[in-house]
Amino acid sequence: MENKLVIYNTLSRKKEIFKAIKPPFVGLYVCGPTVYGDTHLGHARPAITFDLLFRYLKHLGYNVRYVRNITDVGHLENDADEGEDKVAKKARIEQLEPMEVVQHYTNMYHENMRKLNVLPPSIEPQASGHIIEQQQMAQAIFDKGYAYESNGSVYFDVEKYNKENNYGKLSGRNIEELLTTTRQLEGQDEKKNPFDFALWKKANPEHIMRWPSKWSIGFPGWHLECSVMSTKYLGEEFDIHGGGMDLLFPHHECEIAQTKIANGKESVKYWMHNNMITINGKKMGKSLGNSISLDEFFEGTHDLLKKAYAPMTIRFFILQAHYRSTVDFSNEALQAAEKGLQRLWNAIETIDKIEVTEKTTINTDEFEKKCYDAMNDDLNSPILIANLFDGVKMINSIADGKEKITADDLTKLKNIYHLFVYDILGFKMEETDRSDNKVYKQVVDLLLNLRLDAKSKNDFETADKIRNELHKLGFVVKDKKDGFEWELEGK
Ligand code: ZN
């Protein structure tokens, strides 16, 4: 097993050599989506970032248990301890049962992940399936004296925890700062301190997602599910916890505090956070009106989009930036990603046509090492992609006869591309990406444009002939107001 992987640990704020707690096993937990709305570009980034990590760890020979949860209860508006549950709100507006909302958007999320070629996690637990375990953990924290009951709700006592522990160590905040910045919202007077957070909430009469407990009929606090499900499926200590940077505070900070008290020890060895996606330099968000769903990207139906972008273009766009850097969305950036990916596909097609010789003038070992070095350096996908582009030049030089390669080295070169492009970066070549496929499409379009010309000149004989001959070959042609549409039946 390679042991050169270095990852940046948000907790220590430095790069550390990755060492599994119990090799060859690796426990990986990533905070998944709250399923109350469309899957957005913002969901794609953590999914793709940790898919890259999952794929690479598996390639290095680890047996990875990857747990990515589905939040379907307890996540309230504005990530606060007061307000409506995001799922329940959607259910109320759409007049649906909350679990219908959950199922619908979970299906949508899965479909979008499949299109992005994001591998499914090993376990995908739902918060609503772990209500009893959440009550048990809240009880354990209560029994240890770090939680208090107030009006049927149970809150974590942050001030008490902070006496012996450092609350805020992950996000770099401290209690004094929190006291001045945390707003005292209406209804929060049940808390001792505004920064205390809910482990269990008593449900208001209008709150429809509710379960019985010894404290009240209510629901678990949002942060508790991840502490519970990571402990349940990965154990009291596990290797990596990931998520978006927007979850650093308060979500992950609360997770650390809860788990430390409930289990009596720190649970996570490495914390990893992906940065955010901005749109034309601005934060992306539903309330800002600039949040684009993945379906809108794939269909080109949002006002900010000049055209439709394929799922692999989105994947390339995200991976051509390092996961800890921000990515700024623009049509130009996506079109550049589209071209970049096409360059890789062209190179892969060129490799297949290369003729071998008796000797090799390029250094495949050095090339392979550079690719591994990039991945080992905190999953540096942009450097890996840059190396693969350098390789494209090398491949073209071989194809032009300026450089030479033996059969063995050619196999090696093919394997390097296969490994890094398909298996690790997770790109998938669609039929439409093949250059010969593009040419064939252009030829069909050409014929159909000739048919339109013929029709406009009242030459219906030629027009019908083109249509009928294409039909015999299995093409279904549909006339449209502004042209035509065609497909090859059964394809
Ligand atoms: Zn979480």
Side-chain angles (χ1 to χ4, degrees), residues 16-72:
E16 295 177 19
I17 293 171
F18 176 73
K19 275 207 173 83
I21 297 168
K22 287 180 192 162
F25 174 84
V26 168
L28 168 64
Y29 187 93
V30 174
C31 292
T34 304
V35 282
Y36 71 103
D38 292 345
T39 311
H40 283 254
L41 188 59
H43 291 109
R45 192 155 196 210
I48 290 172
T49 297
F50 294 102
D51 186 52
L52 179 70
L53 176 66
F54 183 36
R55 287 167 178 270
Y56 193 55
L57 287 170
K58 287 205 295 183
H59 169 68
L60 293 181
Y62 292 105
N63 174 13
V64 187
R65 186 181 298 157
Y66 177 15
V67 182
R68 189 185 65 208
N69 68 303
I70 292 280
T71 297
D72 58 354

Side-chain angles (χ1 to χ4, degrees), residues 48 115-117 309-320 332-350 385-386 388-389 392 417 420-422 425-435 438:
I48 290 172
K115 285 182 182 164
L116 291 169
N117 209 23
Y309 297 99
M312 283 306 109
T313 303
I314 303 289
R315 189 171 176 112
F316 190 95
F317 166 68
I318 286 174
L319 289 175
Q320 70 181 359
E332 292 70 31
L334 277 172
Q335 282 161 27
E338 206 169 32
K339 284 199 187 111
L341 185 58
Q342 191 58 49
R343 268 177 80 195
L344 287 184
W345 294 145
N346 292 346
I348 284 175
E349 287 186 296
T350 306
I385 290 171
L388 292 169
F389 280 157
V392 171
Y417 268 84
F420 286 99
V421 175
Y422 293 99
L425 290 169
F427 298 130
K428 175 173 75 172
M429 194 194 264
E430 307 286 354
E431 271 306 300
T432 47
D433 295 323
R434 301 199 76 89
S435 56
K438 284 213 163 123

Side-chain angles (χ1 to χ4, degrees), residues 317-490:
F317 166 68
I318 286 174
L319 289 175
Q320 70 181 359
H322 187 249
Y323 74 91
R324 287 193 285 115
S325 312
T326 54
V327 174
D328 191 45
F329 156 86
S330 68
N331 281 281
E332 292 70 31
L334 277 172
Q335 282 161 27
E338 206 169 32
K339 284 199 187 111
L341 185 58
Q342 191 58 49
R343 268 177 80 195
L344 287 184
W345 294 145
N346 292 346
I348 284 175
E349 287 186 296
T350 306
I351 296 182
D352 285 336
K353 294 176 199 148
I354 280 175
E355 286 176 24
V356 295
T357 59
E358 293 294 309
K359 63 171 189 171
T360 298
T361 57
I362 57 155
N363 192 337
T364 47
D365 287 335
E366 190 188 281
F367 180 58
E368 184 180 40
K369 186 179 176 297
K370 272 186 168 176
C371 293
Y372 273 110
D373 285 349
M375 279 306 291
N376 286 334
D377 183 16
D378 193 28
L379 310 180
N380 204 326
S381 54
I383 298 289
L384 171 59
I385 290 171
N387 289 336
L388 292 169
F389 280 157
D390 287 344
V392 171
K393 286 182 212 146
M394 190 167 76
I395 289 163
N396 289 336
S397 299
I398 304 168
D400 293 345
K402 286 178 202 135
E403 302 279 1
K404 296 187 192 324
I405 196 162
T406 63
D408 283 353
D409 281 333
L410 182 61
T411 304
K412 192 163 180 198
L413 191 61
K414 277 185 192 175
N415 289 343
I416 295 169
Y417 268 84
H418 200 283
L419 170 68
F420 286 99
V421 175
Y422 293 99
D423 299 348
I424 292 173
L425 290 169
F427 298 130
K428 175 173 75 172
M429 194 194 264
E430 307 286 354
E431 271 306 300
T432 47
D433 295 323
R434 301 199 76 89
S435 56
D436 46 357
N437 221 322
K438 284 213 163 123
V439 173
Y440 130 84
K441 285 200 157 77
Q442 283 165 357
V443 172
V444 179
D445 283 346
L446 175 71
L447 280 169
L448 287 169
N449 277 318
L450 285 172
R451 174 172 168 261
L452 282 185
D453 285 350
K455 266 169 90 177
S456 68
K457 289 172 192 152
N458 291 330
D459 179 2
F460 295 107
E461 197 184 329
T462 307
D464 289 347
K465 190 173 178 194
I466 293 173
R467 187 195 176 102
N468 294 341
E469 291 298 321
L470 281 172
H471 184 74
K472 274 188 216 162
L473 294 168
F475 288 92
V476 181
V477 178
K478 274 187 209 147
D479 287 313
K480 292 271 176 186
K481 241 191 234 161
D482 52 348
F484 51 79
E485 244 178 43
W486 62 267
E487 57 178 352
L488 189 53
E489 220 156 44

Side-chain angles (χ1 to χ4, degrees), residues 31 226 251-252 255:
C31 292
C226 290
H251 187 58
H252 290 159
E255 268 190 69

Side-chain angles (χ1 to χ4, degrees), residues 69-84:
N69 68 303
I70 292 280
T71 297
D72 58 354
V73 65
H75 195 173
L76 306 187
E77 290 177 290
N78 307 315
D79 300 348
D81 277 342
E82 293 296 327
E84 210 171 350

Side-chain angles (χ1 to χ4, degrees), residues 152 200-204 210-213 215-219:
W200 185 263
K201 281 290 290 179
K202 180 182 173 180
N204 294 328
R210 45 171 63 211
W211 289 264
S213 78
W215 306 291
S216 62
I217 292 176
F219 56 94

Side-chain angles (χ1 to χ4, degrees), residues 88-337:
K89 183 179 181 184
K90 186 79 178 175
R92 174 174 62 75
I93 293 167
E94 307 268 323
Q95 294 193 307
L96 295 167
E97 152 67 29
M99 282 301 140
E100 271 183 294
V101 171
V102 166
Q103 192 66 58
H104 177 76
Y105 290 110
T106 303
N107 293 349
M108 180 185 275
Y109 181 74
H110 286 160
E111 179 59 18
N112 277 302
M113 291 304 113
R114 191 190 59 73
K115 285 182 182 164
L116 291 169
N117 209 23
V118 168
L119 298 174
S122 327
I123 305 175
E124 195 174 47
Q126 284 176 280
S128 66
H130 299 75
I131 300 292
I132 291 170
E133 291 92 332
Q134 292 182 78
Q135 290 180 357
Q136 285 169 340
M137 192 176 272
Q139 183 68 51
I141 295 167
F142 193 90
D143 290 346
K144 288 180 178 163
Y146 287 84
Y148 57 92
E149 187 185 344
S150 177
N151 195 23
S153 294
V154 179
Y155 294 99
F156 189 93
D157 191 338
V158 172
E159 197 174 22
K160 178 163 184 189
Y161 172 82
N162 193 55
K163 288 202 174 106
E164 291 128 38
N165 302 276
N166 180 3
Y167 183 78
K169 66 177 178 178
L170 183 68
S171 57
R173 303 188 192 209
N174 59 53
I175 292 245
E176 288 71 36
E177 185 193 341
L178 287 172
L179 264 176
T180 54
T181 55
T182 315
R183 284 176 301 161
Q184 184 83 38
L185 296 170
E186 206 180 322
Q188 285 196 348
D189 43 13
E190 1 183 281
K191 294 184 184 181
K192 283 192 204 165
N193 276 304
F195 45 70
D196 289 348
F197 56 91
L199 301 173
W200 185 263
K201 281 290 290 179
K202 180 182 173 180
N204 294 328
E206 65 275 13
H207 197 103
I208 46 181
M209 298 178 84
R210 45 171 63 211
W211 289 264
S213 78
K214 64 179 279 193
W215 306 291
S216 62
I217 292 176
F219 56 94
W222 169 42
H223 314 300
L224 194 55
E225 62 177 277
C226 290
S227 289
V228 161
M229 296 190 286
S230 60
T231 305
K232 175 159 179 168
Y233 298 110
L234 297 174
E236 290 188 350
E237 284 178 304
F238 61 95
D239 299 286
I240 305 171
H241 192 314
M245 251 173 57
D246 52 336
L247 296 177
L248 254 173
F249 187 88
H251 187 58
H252 290 159
E253 206 73 73
C254 297
E255 268 190 69
I256 290 179
Q258 290 162 166
T259 319
K260 175 84 192 286
I261 295 305
N263 298 343
K265 55 177 121 172
E266 294 280 331
S267 57
V268 179
K269 194 167 173 195
Y270 306 93
W271 281 93
M272 291 177 77
H273 292 91
N274 63 274
N275 214 319
M276 299 290 105
I277 297 183
T278 54
I279 291 197
N280 299 321
K282 290 197 192 84
K283 198 173 170 250
M284 192 174 61
K286 254 191 181 167
S287 54
L288 304 168
N290 64 356
S291 185
I292 308 174
S293 79
L294 289 173
D295 284 340
E296 285 169 329
F297 273 104
F298 302 157
E299 287 152 25
T301 49
H302 191 282
D303 286 349
L304 287 170
L305 301 174
K306 290 200 178 125
K307 63 192 272 300
Y309 297 99
M312 283 306 109
T313 303
I314 303 289
R315 189 171 176 112
F316 190 95
F317 166 68
I318 286 174
L319 289 175
Q320 70 181 359
H322 187 249
Y323 74 91
R324 287 193 285 115
S325 312
T326 54
V327 174
D328 191 45
F329 156 86
S330 68
N331 281 281
E332 292 70 31
L334 277 172
Q335 282 161 27

